[in-house]
Amino acid sequence: MGAWWWVRRALWALAWTLGLFALGLWGLRQAGWGPGQDEAVQATQPAPTQAGAAGPADQPPQPASLTTVSPSSPQATAAVQAPQAPRPLLTPPAPSGAAEAPAASPTASSPAALAPLNAVRRRAGTAPVTLQAAWAPGCAAHARYLVREDRAEHRQDPKSPYRSAAGEACAPGHYFVSSQPDSGAGRAVSYWASGAFHLPQLLDPRLNRVALGVAHDQGGALRTAVVLDVRRGLGRAAGRYPVRYPAPGATAPGGRAAAGEWPDPTAGCAELSGAPGAPVALLLGPGGAAVRSAGLWVNARPQPACLLTAQTFRGASDGETRAGRQILAAQGTAVLLPRAPLPPGARVKVQFNTVRGPVSWTFRVR
């Protein structure tokens, strides 16, 4: 290789170096690092303004003139009025964005609303109950709480905006909740009357006053709630026992036992394999004779049935066992659950064998 080759290589290297240097300068200017660039940027920034100052276009509107009166001046009494006391809320406030508050049924506070309950009591031979109007708003309040909170319970959450003292007072009574918007007191009473642990309170001969509340809500999973106060209306009289349901010679509907009853009456019943029939009950009164066994005959033929008593009932848990036995013991109640619903038109004989002797009677199925 001659000297000319080395000269040419040196010229190419110099050209590449100058090109890269020029390219670097161009990039710096584009990024704002070139000489004089700071002055150009500062020239485009708006001049700072003093705090509180505003140009003609930004002038805020002037407030209207205000006249203030010192409370200690003679004009204070006329110019400063005392704030009015807030009106009491008739219904709990609805949460922000919630639908309109559900209205209580206008018929729940009328004596006619008790017709289904008194029909059940008539089938047992017990006296009708009357409506205690003063308690009805509390039962309506608890019904409203149930549909608004989508809950089924005998209490109210203290943190709920629908909690009320009146609602709490009625909460321990019977409740019925449904996803059907057209449910009402009649359907609720039918459900309670077919439940082994709800029926005894409906039949209590000491009960003389009740209160009923109904609420509907189209916005939640629970559309209807019915609440019945069967606790505060117990009279001081001992009550006429025994109570038999259905009463001797009565005609009563058949049908199935209530589904979803708590405690579960079928948990300890080996005699039951499917949906049992509606309950047949004997109430001997508090401290009544214990029932040891029972039998059921339909059209003179023996039928399997499960006997529930305060001494023998076993629930699905220890808690259910205690609750069920307590309910049954409160009125010395014994309940028979037929293996299957009693057929329409059937003649039914039932016999409960107590430690003091048998108690038997017959009735018909509608």
Side-chain angles (χ1 to χ4, degrees):
M1 292 183 290
W4 174 245
W5 184 86
W6 287 105
V7 171
R8 190 170 58 181
R9 289 289 302 271
L11 291 174
W12 272 107
L14 179 61
W16 273 101
T17 301
L18 292 175
L20 291 174
F21 180 74
L23 183 62
L25 288 177
W26 179 83
L28 290 173
R29 291 186 64 85
Q30 292 296 319
W33 291 86
Q37 192 73 11
D38 289 344
E39 290 82 356
V41 172
Q42 291 178 2
T44 62
Q45 298 295 327
T49 58
Q50 296 180 357
D58 299 325
Q59 188 72 25
Q62 295 296 321
S65 59
L66 299 176
T67 302
T68 60
V69 180
S70 170
S72 60
S73 67
Q75 295 85 356
T77 304
V80 180
Q81 298 181 355
Q84 296 182 355
R87 298 179 61 185
L89 293 175
L90 300 181
T91 58
S96 176
E100 183 180 355
S105 169
T107 61
S109 58
S110 65
L114 301 183
L117 172 58
N118 283 326
V120 173
R121 292 177 64 85
R122 186 164 54 250
R123 288 197 292 269
T126 54
V129 294
T130 59
L131 182 70
Q132 182 67 30
W135 301 339
C139 295
H142 188 57
R144 187 181 302 113
Y145 166 86
L146 296 178
V147 293
R148 269 305 192 181
E149 292 287 356
D150 275 337
R151 296 186 182 184
E153 56 190 3
H154 289 289
R155 58 178 295 275
Q156 293 189 354
D157 186 347
K159 298 180 181 179
S160 170
Y162 308 107
R163 185 265 172 194
S164 66
E168 285 273 17
C170 193
H174 287 358
Y175 70 77
F176 169 84
V177 292
S178 172
S179 61
Q180 302 299 318
D182 58 346
S183 293
R187 187 173 297 180
V189 171
S190 296
Y191 175 84
W192 295 325
S194 61
F197 296 108
H198 284 85
L199 177 63
Q201 286 84 10
L202 301 184
L203 305 179
D204 195 326
R206 301 166 297 177
L207 187 65
N208 52 48
R209 295 174 298 162
V210 299
L212 183 71
V214 182
H216 301 281
D217 181 17
Q218 303 303 318
L222 300 180
R223 302 294 183 88
T224 301
V226 183
V227 177
L228 178 68
D229 189 334
V230 291
R231 293 176 176 250
R232 288 180 286 181
L234 292 174
R236 296 183 178 181
R240 297 183 61 181
Y241 291 97
V243 174
R244 290 163 284 192
Y245 182 85
T251 300
R256 296 180 178 182
E261 178 79 331
W262 191 95
D264 180 3
T266 67
C269 293
E271 301 88 347
L272 305 180
S273 57
V280 178
L282 171 66
L283 284 64
L284 294 172
V291 174
R292 297 181 296 185
S293 62
L296 182 72
W297 293 262
V298 177
N299 295 328
R301 295 182 178 180
Q303 298 294 322
C306 179
L307 175 64
L308 310 177
T309 71
Q311 294 76 31
T312 61
F313 171 69
R314 292 189 178 277
S317 66
D318 291 343
E320 290 197 25
T321 298
R322 288 192 298 270
R325 291 188 176 190
Q326 182 179 7
I327 294 171
L328 296 171
Q331 294 188 78
T333 301
V335 175
L336 266 182
L337 290 178
R339 173 180 286 182
L342 299 175
R347 182 177 183 272
V348 181
K349 177 184 177 181
V350 60
Q351 179 170 309
F352 291 87
N353 300 309
T354 77
V355 294
R356 297 178 183 175
V359 179
S360 62
W361 72 94
T362 61
F363 63 91
R364 286 195 174 273
V365 181
R366 184 181 304 159

Coordinates of all heavy atoms in Angstrom, one line a residue, residues 114-168:
L114 N -106.4 -8.3 59.3 CA -106.3 -9.4 60.2 C -107.2 -10.6 59.9 O -107.1 -11.6 60.6 CB -106.6 -9.0 61.7 CG -105.7 -7.8 62.2 CD1 -106.1 -7.6 63.7 CD2 -104.2 -8.2 62.1
A115 N -108.0 -10.5 58.8 CA -108.9 -11.5 58.5 C -108.2 -12.9 58.2 O -108.6 -13.9 58.7 CB -109.7 -11.1 57.2
P116 N -107.1 -12.9 57.5 CA -106.4 -14.2 57.3 C -105.9 -14.8 58.7 O -106.0 -16.0 58.9 CB -105.2 -13.9 56.4 CG -105.6 -12.6 55.7 CD -106.4 -11.9 56.7
L117 N -105.4 -14.0 59.6 CA -104.9 -14.5 60.8 C -106.1 -15.0 61.7 O -106.0 -16.1 62.3 CB -104.2 -13.4 61.6 CG -103.8 -13.7 63.0 CD1 -102.9 -14.9 63.1 CD2 -103.1 -12.5 63.7
N118 N -107.2 -14.3 61.7 CA -108.3 -14.7 62.5 C -109.0 -16.0 61.9 O -109.6 -16.7 62.6 CB -109.3 -13.6 62.7 CG -108.9 -12.6 63.7 OD1 -108.2 -12.9 64.7 ND2 -109.2 -11.3 63.5
A119 N -108.8 -16.1 60.6 CA -109.4 -17.4 60.0 C -108.6 -18.6 60.5 O -109.1 -19.7 60.8 CB -109.3 -17.3 58.5
V120 N -107.2 -18.4 60.6 CA -106.4 -19.5 61.2 C -106.8 -19.8 62.6 O -107.0 -21.0 63.0 CB -104.9 -19.2 61.1 CG1 -104.1 -20.2 61.8 CG2 -104.5 -19.1 59.6
R121 N -107.0 -18.8 63.4 CA -107.4 -18.9 64.8 C -108.8 -19.6 64.9 O -109.0 -20.4 65.8 CB -107.3 -17.6 65.5 CG -105.9 -17.0 65.7 CD -105.9 -15.7 66.3 NE -106.4 -15.7 67.7 CZ -105.6 -16.0 68.8 NH1 -104.3 -16.3 68.6 NH2 -106.2 -15.9 70.0
R122 N -109.6 -19.2 64.0 CA -111.0 -19.8 64.1 C -110.9 -21.3 63.8 O -111.7 -22.1 64.4 CB -111.9 -19.1 63.0 CG -113.3 -19.5 63.1 CD -114.2 -18.5 62.3 NE -113.8 -18.3 60.9 CZ -113.2 -17.2 60.5 NH1 -113.1 -16.2 61.3 NH2 -112.9 -17.1 59.3
R123 N -110.0 -21.7 63.0 CA -109.9 -23.2 62.7 C -109.4 -23.9 63.9 O -109.5 -25.1 64.0 CB -109.0 -23.4 61.5 CG -109.6 -23.0 60.2 CD -108.8 -23.7 59.0 NE -107.5 -23.1 58.8 CZ -107.2 -22.1 58.1 NH1 -108.2 -21.5 57.4 NH2 -106.0 -21.7 57.9
A124 N -108.8 -23.2 64.9 CA -108.3 -23.8 66.1 C -109.2 -23.6 67.3 O -109.0 -24.1 68.4 CB -106.9 -23.2 66.5
G125 N -110.3 -22.8 67.1 CA -111.2 -22.6 68.1 C -110.8 -21.5 69.1 O -111.3 -21.4 70.2
T126 N -109.8 -20.7 68.7 CA -109.3 -19.6 69.6 C -110.0 -18.3 69.2 O -110.4 -18.1 68.0 CB -107.8 -19.5 69.6 OG1 -107.4 -19.3 68.2 CG2 -107.1 -20.7 70.2
A127 N -110.1 -17.4 70.1 CA -110.8 -16.1 69.9 C -110.0 -15.2 68.9 O -108.7 -15.3 68.8 CB -110.9 -15.3 71.2
P128 N -110.7 -14.4 68.2 CA -110.0 -13.5 67.2 C -109.2 -12.4 68.0 O -109.5 -12.1 69.1 CB -111.2 -12.9 66.4 CG -112.3 -13.0 67.3 CD -112.2 -14.2 68.1
V129 N -108.2 -11.9 67.3 CA -107.4 -10.8 67.8 C -107.8 -9.5 67.2 O -108.5 -9.5 66.1 CB -105.9 -11.1 67.5 CG1 -105.4 -12.3 68.3 CG2 -105.6 -11.2 66.0
T130 N -107.5 -8.4 67.9 CA -107.8 -7.1 67.4 C -106.5 -6.4 67.0 O -105.4 -6.8 67.4 CB -108.6 -6.3 68.4 OG1 -107.8 -6.2 69.6 CG2 -109.9 -6.9 68.7
L131 N -106.6 -5.3 66.3 CA -105.5 -4.5 65.8 C -105.1 -3.5 66.8 O -105.9 -2.7 67.3 CB -105.8 -3.9 64.5 CG -104.7 -3.1 63.8 CD1 -103.6 -4.0 63.3 CD2 -105.2 -2.2 62.7
Q132 N -103.8 -3.5 67.2 CA -103.3 -2.4 68.0 C -102.6 -1.4 67.1 O -101.5 -1.5 66.7 CB -102.2 -3.0 69.0 CG -101.6 -2.0 69.9 CD -102.6 -1.5 71.0 OE1 -103.6 -2.2 71.3 NE2 -102.5 -0.2 71.4
A133 N -103.4 -0.3 66.8 CA -103.0 0.6 65.8 C -101.7 1.4 66.2 O -100.9 1.7 65.3 CB -104.1 1.7 65.6
A134 N -101.4 1.6 67.5 CA -100.3 2.3 67.9 C -99.0 1.6 67.5 O -97.9 2.2 67.4 CB -100.3 2.6 69.4
W135 N -99.0 0.3 67.4 CA -97.8 -0.5 67.1 C -97.6 -0.7 65.6 O -96.5 -1.1 65.2 CB -97.9 -1.9 67.7 CG -98.1 -1.9 69.2 CD1 -97.7 -0.9 70.1 CD2 -98.6 -3.0 70.0 NE1 -98.0 -1.3 71.4 CE2 -98.5 -2.5 71.4 CE3 -99.1 -4.2 69.7 CZ2 -99.0 -3.3 72.4 CZ3 -99.5 -5.1 70.8 CH2 -99.5 -4.6 72.1
A136 N -98.6 -0.4 64.8 CA -98.6 -0.7 63.4 C -97.4 0.1 62.7 O -96.7 -0.4 61.8 CB -99.9 -0.4 62.7
P137 N -97.2 1.4 63.0 CA -96.1 2.1 62.3 C -94.8 1.5 62.6 O -93.9 1.5 61.7 CB -96.2 3.5 62.9 CG -97.6 3.7 63.3 CD -98.0 2.3 63.8
G138 N -94.6 0.9 63.7 CA -93.3 0.2 64.0 C -93.1 -1.0 63.2 O -92.0 -1.3 62.7
C139 N -94.2 -1.8 63.0 CA -94.1 -3.0 62.2 C -93.9 -2.6 60.7 O -93.2 -3.3 60.0 CB -95.4 -3.8 62.3 SG -95.6 -4.5 64.0
A140 N -94.5 -1.5 60.3 CA -94.3 -1.0 58.9 C -92.9 -0.6 58.7 O -92.3 -0.8 57.7 CB -95.3 0.1 58.6
A141 N -92.3 0.0 59.8 CA -90.9 0.5 59.7 C -90.0 -0.7 59.6 O -89.0 -0.6 58.9 CB -90.6 1.3 61.0
H142 N -90.2 -1.8 60.3 CA -89.3 -2.9 60.2 C -89.5 -3.6 58.9 O -88.5 -4.1 58.3 CB -89.6 -3.9 61.3 CG -88.6 -5.0 61.4 ND1 -87.2 -4.8 61.5 CD2 -88.7 -6.4 61.3 CE1 -86.6 -6.0 61.5 NE2 -87.5 -6.9 61.3
A143 N -90.7 -3.7 58.4 CA -90.9 -4.2 57.0 C -90.2 -3.4 56.0 O -89.5 -3.9 55.1 CB -92.4 -4.2 56.7
R144 N -90.2 -2.0 56.2 CA -89.5 -1.2 55.2 C -88.0 -1.4 55.4 O -87.3 -1.4 54.4 CB -89.8 0.3 55.6 CG -89.2 1.3 54.6 CD -89.6 2.7 55.0 NE -91.0 2.9 55.1 CZ -91.7 3.1 56.3 NH1 -91.1 3.2 57.4 NH2 -93.0 3.3 56.3
Y145 N -87.5 -1.6 56.6 CA -86.1 -1.9 56.8 C -85.7 -3.2 56.0 O -84.6 -3.2 55.4 CB -85.8 -2.1 58.3 CG -84.5 -2.7 58.6 CD1 -83.3 -1.9 58.7 CD2 -84.4 -4.1 58.8 CE1 -82.1 -2.5 59.0 CE2 -83.1 -4.6 59.1 CZ -82.0 -3.8 59.2 OH -80.8 -4.4 59.5
L146 N -86.5 -4.2 56.1 CA -86.2 -5.5 55.5 C -86.1 -5.4 54.0 O -85.1 -5.9 53.4 CB -87.2 -6.6 55.8 CG -87.3 -6.9 57.3 CD1 -88.4 -7.9 57.5 CD2 -86.0 -7.5 57.9
V147 N -87.0 -4.7 53.3 CA -87.0 -4.6 51.9 C -85.9 -3.6 51.4 O -85.3 -3.8 50.4 CB -88.3 -4.2 51.3 CG1 -89.3 -5.3 51.5 CG2 -88.8 -2.9 51.8
R148 N -85.6 -2.6 52.2 CA -84.6 -1.6 51.8 C -83.2 -2.2 52.0 O -82.3 -1.9 51.2 CB -84.7 -0.3 52.7 CG -85.6 0.7 52.1 CD -85.2 1.1 50.7 NE -85.8 2.3 50.2 CZ -85.6 2.7 49.0 NH1 -84.7 2.1 48.2 NH2 -86.2 3.8 48.6
E149 N -83.0 -3.0 53.0 CA -81.7 -3.6 53.3 C -81.5 -4.9 52.6 O -80.4 -5.5 52.7 CB -81.4 -3.7 54.8 CG -81.3 -2.4 55.5 CD -80.0 -1.7 55.2 OE1 -79.1 -2.3 54.5 OE2 -79.7 -0.6 55.7
D150 N -82.6 -5.5 52.0 CA -82.6 -6.8 51.4 C -82.1 -7.8 52.5 O -81.2 -8.7 52.2 CB -81.7 -6.9 50.2 CG -82.4 -6.4 48.9 OD1 -83.7 -6.5 48.9 OD2 -81.8 -6.0 48.0
R151 N -82.7 -7.8 53.7 CA -82.4 -8.7 54.7 C -83.6 -9.4 55.3 O -84.7 -8.9 55.1 CB -81.7 -7.9 55.9 CG -80.4 -7.3 55.5 CD -79.7 -6.6 56.7 NE -78.5 -6.0 56.4 CZ -77.7 -5.4 57.3 NH1 -78.0 -5.5 58.6 NH2 -76.5 -4.8 56.9
A152 N -83.4 -10.5 55.9 CA -84.4 -11.2 56.6 C -83.9 -11.5 58.0 O -83.1 -12.5 58.2 CB -84.7 -12.5 55.9
E153 N -84.3 -10.7 59.0 CA -83.8 -10.9 60.3 C -84.7 -10.3 61.4 O -85.6 -9.4 61.0 CB -82.4 -10.2 60.4 CG -82.4 -8.8 60.0 CD -81.0 -8.3 59.9 OE1 -80.0 -9.0 60.1 OE2 -80.8 -7.1 59.6
H154 N -84.6 -10.7 62.6 CA -85.4 -10.2 63.7 C -84.7 -9.0 64.5 O -84.9 -8.9 65.7 CB -85.7 -11.3 64.7 CG -86.6 -12.4 64.2 ND1 -88.0 -12.1 64.0 CD2 -86.4 -13.6 63.8 CE1 -88.5 -13.2 63.6 NE2 -87.6 -14.1 63.4
R155 N -83.9 -8.3 63.8 CA -83.2 -7.2 64.4 C -83.0 -6.1 63.3 O -83.3 -6.3 62.2 CB -81.8 -7.6 65.0 CG -81.0 -8.3 63.9 CD -79.6 -8.7 64.4 NE -78.8 -7.5 64.8 CZ -78.1 -6.8 64.0 NH1 -78.0 -7.1 62.7 NH2 -77.4 -5.8 64.4
Q156 N -82.4 -5.0 63.7 CA -82.0 -3.9 62.8 C -80.6 -3.5 63.0 O -80.2 -3.4 64.2 CB -83.0 -2.7 62.9 CG -84.4 -3.0 62.5 CD -85.2 -1.8 62.4 OE1 -84.8 -0.7 62.8 NE2 -86.5 -2.0 61.9
D157 N -79.9 -3.4 62.0 CA -78.5 -2.9 62.0 C -78.4 -1.5 62.5 O -79.0 -0.6 61.9 CB -77.8 -3.0 60.7 CG -76.3 -2.7 60.7 OD1 -75.8 -2.2 61.7 OD2 -75.6 -3.0 59.7
P158 N -77.7 -1.2 63.6 CA -77.7 0.2 64.2 C -77.1 1.2 63.2 O -77.4 2.4 63.2 CB -76.8 0.1 65.4 CG -76.9 -1.4 65.8 CD -77.0 -2.1 64.5
K159 N -76.3 0.7 62.2 CA -75.7 1.6 61.2 C -76.6 1.9 60.0 O -76.2 2.7 59.2 CB -74.4 1.0 60.7 CG -73.3 0.8 61.9 CD -72.0 0.2 61.3 CE -71.0 0.0 62.4 NZ -69.8 -0.6 61.9
S160 N -77.7 1.2 59.9 CA -78.6 1.4 58.8 C -79.3 2.7 58.8 O -79.8 3.1 59.9 CB -79.6 0.2 58.7 OG -80.6 0.5 57.7
P161 N -79.5 3.4 57.7 CA -80.3 4.6 57.7 C -81.8 4.3 57.9 O -82.6 5.2 58.2 CB -80.0 5.2 56.4 CG -79.6 4.1 55.5 CD -78.9 3.2 56.4
Y162 N -82.2 3.1 57.8 CA -83.6 2.7 58.0 C -83.9 2.1 59.4 O -85.0 1.7 59.6 CB -84.0 1.7 56.9 CG -83.6 2.2 55.5 CD1 -82.5 1.6 54.8 CD2 -84.3 3.2 54.9 CE1 -82.2 2.1 53.6 CE2 -83.9 3.7 53.7 CZ -82.9 3.2 53.0 OH -82.5 3.6 51.8
R163 N -82.9 2.1 60.2 CA -83.1 1.6 61.6 C -83.9 2.7 62.3 O -83.7 3.9 62.2 CB -81.7 1.4 62.3 CG -81.8 0.8 63.6 CD -81.8 1.8 64.7 NE -82.1 1.3 66.0 CZ -82.4 2.0 67.1 NH1 -82.4 3.3 67.0 NH2 -82.6 1.4 68.3
S164 N -84.8 2.2 63.2 CA -85.7 3.1 64.0 C -86.0 2.3 65.3 O -86.1 1.1 65.3 CB -86.9 3.5 63.3 OG -87.8 2.4 63.1
A165 N -86.3 3.1 66.3 CA -86.6 2.5 67.6 C -88.0 1.8 67.5 O -88.2 0.7 68.1 CB -86.7 3.6 68.7
A166 N -88.9 2.4 66.8 CA -90.2 1.8 66.6 C -90.1 0.5 65.8 O -90.8 -0.5 66.1 CB -91.2 2.7 65.9
G167 N -89.2 0.4 64.8 CA -89.0 -0.8 64.0 C -88.4 -1.9 64.9 O -88.7 -3.0 64.8
E168 N -87.4 -1.5 65.7 CA -86.8 -2.4 66.6 C -87.8 -3.1 67.5 O -87.7 -4.3 67.9 CB -85.7 -1.7 67.4 CG -84.4 -1.4 66.7 CD -83.4 -2.6 66.7 OE1 -83.9 -3.7 67.0 OE2 -82.3 -2.4 66.4

